Amino acid sequence: MIKKLYLPLLLTVVVALSSCSNKMGELSSDYFTTNPQVLEAVGGKVPVTINGKFPEKFLNKKAIVEVTPVLKWKGGEAKGQTAVFQGEKVENNYQTISYKMGGNYTMKANFDYVPEMAKSELYLEFKAKVGNKSVSIPAVKIADGVISTSELLGNTLGSATPATGQDAFQRIIKEAHQANIMFLIQQANLRSSELNSASIKELKKVIAEVNEAPNKKIDNIEVSAYASPDGGVSLNSKLAESREGNTAKYMKNELKKSKIDAALDAKYTAQDWEGFQELVSKSNVQDKELILRVLSMYKDPEQREREIKNISSVYKTLADEILPQLRRSRLTLNYNIIGKSDAEISNLAASNPKELNLEELLYAATLTKDAAQQNAIYTKATQQFPNDHRAYNNLGKLAYQAGDLVKAESLFKKAANINSAASEVNMNLGLIALAKGDKGTAESLLGKASGAAELNESLGNLYVAQGQYDKAVNAFSNTNTNSAALAQILSKDYNKAKTTLTNVATPDAYTDYLMAILGARTNNTSMVISSLKSAILKDNSLAKKAATDLEFIKYIANSDFLGLLK
């Protein structure tokens, strides 16, 4: 009787122990997919969406399972956000998974990128309990490696174009000098008091000086004669024409006496309503706004005159103070100041820079492509004109282009201390911040760089760093740089990327490396091999990078490819 009871009881215990086993089972990688299928660095992050499945009759009804994505590489790992799931009999607020049917789930992870992730593996790790007992679920590998092409920005950023502090040099500067001859009402004769006025004497003196100066040349002398808008169109036309003729004749005689050959252009305005409106608007006359309103309402000159005369309270003031100023001939000397030639400026910059003003000195640096000569010229400019920011900024640009970012930053900061609002300085400091990986500071500085000619290119680099590739492509527009091509590759505009890389002015190792990536993405094996060979010849460290770069994963068994990596 005891033996008969013992065997069923033993079987019951065995079953009970089996159901309380500390191992729930293994999950195959077939139950998981990732999007993207191959992880990729975007804006300094590695985002991934994981779609998983608990199969039928897997999750114990009393189980709680924590699922954590972990990206592992040699010597390190990064953990993502844990998701928690529960069996049907657990009274909690996690996602419930049916024991009989199983269940699907989606979770997201976003890892901070580090270069070691290029050779890494993405796992899901599980921590499960049934009641108070821990249950083992082995980790599952669901993805291999990280495509890190976007991180090439750190290498292509050196080819960005820093902003220049532009010179304001003008070889030909247009100047003008004016004087007025005033007339009495309804008269056109030139009075001696007017011809001997201080302003006419000064005009004749300036004409003579300009005519004699070796670096100045008279363009022309304009005579503009006017009549005030009172008195009717017919009368004023004849009056203004006579004033023009008399003034032009006088000026011709003066030029002839002084033996000055200059073009004389003359014209007249019968009724100077424009001058009238300007003088009224600047005056304090009574009913000023009413007068200006009449001028805007009526275009016919006779009607204008009638309406203004009807404002009897103010007309006498106009007749005494405004209208006399419109009875005149205006004489305008137009002349050009001609600056030094390029050859003169270049020679002085090298031999005697103190003979050049600031604008000429800054301009001198644009006349050579030799960085050493430019450096010497800008250094002289900082010594002679230490309170102008542009030479410091431009020295910083030269240092940036030479790859010395520490020196460049120091010079840009000196420029900022002189003029913190200069758009070119803020843009260049933004590039420095971007090179340091400080995207927030870079964005703030570039926001203060409106007006810098090179700003769109810098914004393109910022957008690449932020992972906004379409915006980057638009910002770069037709700029032919490594960074522009990188943006186009990342946005999958491969035809445009090839055109850009082909037209890079000074191609370097990374120009070739990007062309190799482009070849890999477009299944052009010959482009991959030839471009990668050229890149490695220019920078042999790229062989090691290519060996772990998932862009070239399909060529890992290609003998030509492997030969380049030795």
Side-chain angles (χ1 to χ4, degrees):
M1 180 70 178
I2 294 174
K3 288 182 179 180
K4 290 181 180 179
L5 290 172
Y6 177 75
L7 183 58
L9 180 61
L10 180 61
L11 290 172
T12 302
V13 170
V14 169
V15 171
L17 288 173
S18 298
S19 67
C20 295
S21 169
N22 64 353
K23 186 172 182 180
M24 191 174 292
E26 294 187 9
L27 289 170
S28 166
S29 60
D30 294 336
Y31 288 117
F32 305 95
T33 60
T34 62
N35 185 20
Q37 187 174 356
V38 180
L39 306 190
E40 185 170 358
V42 179
K45 301 282 188 179
V46 180
V48 61
T49 299
I50 301 162
N51 296 303
K53 179 181 180 180
F54 288 113
E56 297 85 350
K57 299 181 180 179
F58 177 83
L59 192 64
N60 188 295
K61 294 180 180 182
K62 296 181 179 180
I64 293 178
V65 180
E66 297 179 4
V67 183
T68 305
V70 183
L71 194 56
K72 299 182 178 184
W73 60 91
K74 186 177 180 179
E77 66 176 28
K79 292 191 175 185
Q81 181 67 39
T82 296
V84 185
F85 306 91
Q86 64 186 32
E88 295 171 276
K89 291 188 176 180
V90 176
E91 295 182 0
N92 219 318
N93 293 320
Y94 307 122
Q95 181 179 339
T96 300
I97 303 296
S98 166
Y99 172 75
K100 183 177 181 181
M101 302 296 295
N104 300 318
Y105 62 90
T106 297
M107 58 190 301
K108 294 180 182 289
N110 202 15
F111 306 99
D112 291 330
Y113 176 80
V114 295
E116 292 80 5
M117 288 178 179
K119 194 172 183 179
S120 60
E121 296 174 323
L122 179 62
Y123 283 85
L124 289 183
E125 293 184 347
F126 303 89
K127 184 178 179 182
K129 282 188 175 183
V130 176
N132 294 322
K133 295 184 180 292
S134 295
V135 179
S136 173
I137 302 177
V140 181
K141 188 178 81 169
I142 60 174
D144 282 297
V146 174
I147 294 174
S148 58
T149 301
S150 65
E151 293 299 309
L152 287 174
L153 180 67
N155 305 103
T156 66
L157 194 59
S159 66
T161 308
T164 303
Q166 298 290 343
D167 65 85
F169 174 74
Q170 290 179 274
R171 176 158 289 109
I172 297 176
I173 301 173
K174 294 186 176 296
E175 294 285 352
H177 187 91
Q178 291 186 342
N180 286 325
I181 294 175
M182 307 305 297
F183 295 92
L184 296 177
I185 187 171
Q186 296 186 6
Q187 291 186 22
N189 57 301
L190 302 177
R191 293 174 292 160
S192 58
S193 60
E194 289 297 312
L195 300 181
N196 292 316
S197 67
S199 64
I200 293 297
K201 287 180 179 179
E202 179 65 19
L203 174 66
K204 290 193 286 186
K205 178 184 175 184
V206 173
I207 291 173
E209 289 176 349
V210 170
N211 186 62
E212 293 172 6
N215 67 328
K216 296 178 183 179
K217 184 178 180 180
I218 295 174
D219 188 8
N220 73 336
I221 298 172
E222 294 180 4
V223 174
S224 301
Y226 302 88
S228 60
D230 57 322
V233 176
S234 178
L235 172 64
N236 286 334
S237 294
K238 293 177 182 178
L239 193 58
E241 186 178 11
S242 295
R243 289 172 179 171
E244 176 210 317
N246 292 342
T247 307
K249 183 178 179 181
Y250 164 76
M251 203 64 236
K252 284 179 183 178
N253 288 335
E254 291 299 309
L255 292 172
K256 186 176 181 180
K257 283 191 295 183
S258 302
K259 297 181 180 181
I260 296 174
D261 184 17
L264 189 69
D265 298 317
K267 63 180 181 179
Y268 70 89
T269 301
Q271 292 190 310
D272 189 10
W273 285 108
E274 186 177 324
F276 177 79
Q277 182 171 347
E278 181 181 354
L279 290 174
V280 169
S281 65
K282 293 179 179 178
S283 72
N284 294 316
V285 298
Q286 184 181 349
D287 294 326
K288 178 172 75 173
E289 297 303 324
L290 179 58
I291 297 167
L292 294 174
R293 192 156 55 248
V294 167
L295 295 178
S296 65
M297 290 174 61
Y298 303 104
K299 301 303 178 185
D300 180 71
E302 292 184 358
Q303 188 171 9
R304 276 180 168 181
E305 187 177 352
R306 284 196 304 271
E307 294 296 333
I308 289 172
K309 284 183 176 179
N310 287 336
I311 310 173
S312 57
S313 60
V314 76
Y315 189 74
K316 187 176 186 310
T317 303
L318 295 176
D320 292 343
E321 298 179 9
I322 302 296
L323 296 177
Q325 297 181 63
L326 302 174
R327 301 167 188 141
R328 72 204 189 282
S329 284
R330 185 178 64 223
L331 294 165
T332 304
L333 165 66
N334 296 305
Y335 65 97
N336 298 323
I337 300 176
I338 303 169
K340 300 177 183 70
S341 69
D342 286 359
E344 289 175 313
I345 290 174
S346 291
N347 289 334
L348 286 171
S351 62
N352 193 6
K354 289 185 178 180
E355 289 295 311
L356 299 175
N357 62 37
L358 174 59
E359 304 308 330
E360 291 170 333
L361 202 49
L362 293 174
Y363 176 69
T366 70
L367 300 176
T368 177
K369 292 184 178 179
D370 187 285
Q373 290 182 28
Q374 291 175 335
N375 197 295
I377 292 169
Y378 288 135
T379 299
K380 285 291 183 184
T382 62
Q383 294 166 355
Q384 292 177 211
F385 306 97
N387 295 322
D388 192 277
H389 73 279
R390 289 172 292 174
Y392 288 107
N393 176 82
N394 296 352
L395 283 171
K397 176 179 179 177
L398 292 174
Y400 184 98
Q401 292 174 322
D404 191 343
L405 299 191
V406 174
K407 183 178 180 181
E409 182 177 19
S410 174
L411 288 161
F412 291 147
K413 284 183 176 179
K414 282 185 180 179
N417 286 337
I418 296 170
N419 185 357
S420 61
S423 60
E424 65 270 23
V425 177
N426 282 312
M427 197 206 90
N428 293 338
L429 285 171
L431 283 177
I432 295 292
L434 201 53
K436 290 180 171 182
D438 188 349
K439 289 178 279 189
T441 298
E443 185 172 20
S444 175
L445 286 164
L446 293 179
K448 300 174 185 176
S450 177
E454 303 83 354
L455 178 58
N456 279 344
E457 182 186 341
S458 293
L459 287 172
N461 281 291
L462 174 65
Y463 296 144
V464 172
Q466 294 174 332
Q468 302 184 76
Y469 303 138
D470 289 339
K471 285 183 71 174
V473 169
N474 289 332
F476 281 123
S477 185
N478 294 319
T479 302
N480 295 314
T481 64
N482 291 343
S483 289
L486 175 61
Q488 290 151 8
I489 290 171
L490 293 170
S491 65
K492 298 180 173 54
D493 191 346
Y494 299 137
N495 288 332
K496 191 169 185 178
K498 186 175 182 181
T499 300
T500 298
L501 290 170
T502 302
N503 289 290
V504 170
T506 53
D508 59 17
Y510 283 93
T511 312
D512 296 323
Y513 196 84
L514 287 168
M515 190 70 89
I517 289 175
L518 187 60
R521 290 198 176 197
T522 56
N523 298 312
N524 188 331
T525 302
S526 62
M527 184 189 291
V528 172
I529 302 303
S530 62
S531 299
L532 198 54
K533 180 179 180 180
S534 180
I536 293 169
L537 283 173
K538 293 174 184 175
D539 182 351
N540 60 17
S541 70
L542 290 177
K544 183 178 180 181
K545 177 172 179 58
T548 59
D549 194 334
L550 291 184
E551 293 281 8
F552 305 117
I553 188 66
K554 67 176 99 174
Y555 299 96
I556 201 65
N558 182 294
S559 59
D560 291 330
F561 179 80
L562 291 173
L564 294 174
L565 307 183
K566 292 180 180 178

